[in-house]
Amino acid sequence: MKQQKTASVPALSKKTKQPKECFLIQPKETKEDATKTRKRRKKKITDILAKSEPKPGTPEDLQKLMKDYYSSNRSVIELEELNLPDSCFLKANDLTHSLSSYLKEICPKWVKLQKSHTEKKSVLMLILCSSAIRALELMRSMTAFKGDSKVMKLFAKHIKVQEQVKLLEKRAVHLGVGTPGRIKELVRQGGLDLNPLKFLVFDWNWRDQKLRRMMDIPEIRKEVFELLEMGVLSLCKSESLKLGLF
């Protein structure tokens, strides 16, 4: 019996040593998996957009976004009614223009047009962008185009809606630059009449620090389409209003 006990001791000691060898491989696998995950995330967020060549926006891009946005709650017939005729689109920016040169190209008779505009609570041209800061940048870059036109900031930052309504009631304004959310609110409150509007320009190709265009931002995209339904689409179809993608 003594011999059997002494023989079983080394067998048990070998079994207790075996599990220790199984845990040495796992930390290496975890590090490799974490590195692969980090690489995948970087590629999705920044690498693809940063390395891709910028492509100018086209009328087809806007039409497709509209269909995608409304496809969940509109019938096939209603979606077809959203199609805008090619004649309502101006030539899109091919990424070679400054804002002033683009506006001069799409509206060569601007000086004559703005002199004949005397209606209050309205503008001849609206430029839609994603933020107040971007609106200020655009206003500074259109100096060569605007001449003595009256330009108004139409965004929410530091400016109340009622203040903007009073300014629009006081005098004729030729150019409005702002965000779709605030412009939509001005229309809703009756402070801005869209009927005299002749040009609606989207700040389409510019990208922010996160490489997003204005229509890539869900809340901006929603507000743009809500604004379009407040009379813009019908004005386009009647060919009294033209759309431009800068």
Side-chain angles (χ1 to χ4, degrees):
M1 294 292 293
K2 287 182 182 180
Q3 288 177 353
Q4 288 177 356
K5 286 181 181 180
T6 53
S8 63
V9 172
L12 287 169
S13 63
K14 282 180 183 179
K15 286 181 182 179
T16 54
K17 286 179 183 179
Q18 285 175 359
K20 292 182 181 179
E21 295 177 357
C22 297
F23 295 100
L24 297 174
I25 305 169
Q26 289 184 2
K28 289 183 181 180
E29 291 178 355
T30 305
K31 286 179 182 178
E32 286 174 4
D33 290 342
T35 306
K36 286 179 182 178
T37 305
R38 283 197 297 271
K39 284 181 180 177
R40 286 194 205 106
R41 284 175 185 166
K42 284 181 181 178
K43 196 169 185 179
K44 284 181 181 178
I45 295 170
T46 58
D47 288 357
I48 294 172
L49 282 173
K51 290 180 180 179
S52 62
E53 292 183 9
K55 293 181 180 179
T58 63
E60 290 76 19
D61 294 335
L62 177 58
Q63 300 269 38
K64 185 179 183 302
L65 281 176
M66 286 177 64
K67 282 188 177 180
D68 292 345
Y69 181 79
Y70 290 113
S71 60
S72 60
N73 56 11
R74 300 289 175 95
S75 66
V76 176
I77 295 171
E78 287 173 324
L79 287 174
E80 286 178 359
E81 289 175 353
L82 291 172
N83 287 333
L84 294 171
D86 293 339
S87 58
C88 80
F89 287 98
L90 298 159
K91 184 179 178 181
N93 178 22
D94 58 2
L95 304 183
T96 63
H97 283 284
S98 66
L99 180 58
S100 283
S101 68
Y102 177 67
L103 296 180
K104 283 179 180 178
E105 182 173 279
I106 64 172
C107 185
K109 297 181 180 179
W110 174 254
V111 175
K112 184 180 178 180
L113 189 64
Q114 61 100 3
K115 282 182 179 178
S116 62
H117 177 69
T118 57
E119 295 179 58
K120 296 176 182 179
K121 298 172 67 174
S122 66
V123 294
L124 286 172
M125 181 183 289
L126 271 178
I127 300 176
L128 293 182
C129 59
S130 58
S131 68
I133 294 172
R134 178 59 181 165
L136 294 173
E137 289 175 1
L138 290 170
M139 289 176 72
R140 286 193 293 268
S141 65
M142 66 166 66
T143 307
F145 170 78
K146 71 182 184 68
D148 58 357
S149 304
K150 299 292 186 295
V151 184
M152 189 168 171
K153 306 168 187 173
L154 300 176
F155 49 75
K157 197 170 185 179
H158 307 310
I159 309 172
K160 294 180 180 179
V161 178
Q162 290 307 315
E163 291 176 12
Q164 290 171 331
V165 171
K166 287 177 183 178
L167 288 171
L168 286 164
E169 287 173 345
K170 277 184 181 180
R171 63 181 186 183
V173 178
H174 307 105
L175 270 160
V177 186
T179 53
R182 174 49 61 92
I183 293 169
K184 186 183 69 172
E185 185 61 24
L186 287 166
V187 174
R188 191 184 68 80
Q189 293 194 19
L192 182 63
D193 179 14
L194 294 178
N195 286 317
L197 185 65
K198 299 300 178 188
F199 302 94
L200 178 61
V201 179
F202 296 85
D203 182 32
W204 191 275
N205 298 297
W206 181 80
R207 294 181 184 270
D208 63 13
Q209 290 181 343
K210 295 181 180 179
L211 301 177
R212 301 174 302 177
R213 297 168 301 177
M214 64 176 288
M215 296 300 278
D216 295 330
I217 304 169
E219 55 269 27
I220 297 292
R221 185 168 61 246
K222 178 177 179 289
E223 288 173 343
V224 166
F225 290 132
E226 287 175 353
L227 176 61
L228 293 183
E229 287 198 282
M230 297 175 80
V232 172
L233 293 176
S234 58
L235 289 171
C236 288
K237 289 178 180 180
S238 67
E239 299 192 358
S240 65
L241 174 62
K242 303 293 184 182
L243 303 180
L245 305 181
F246 171 64

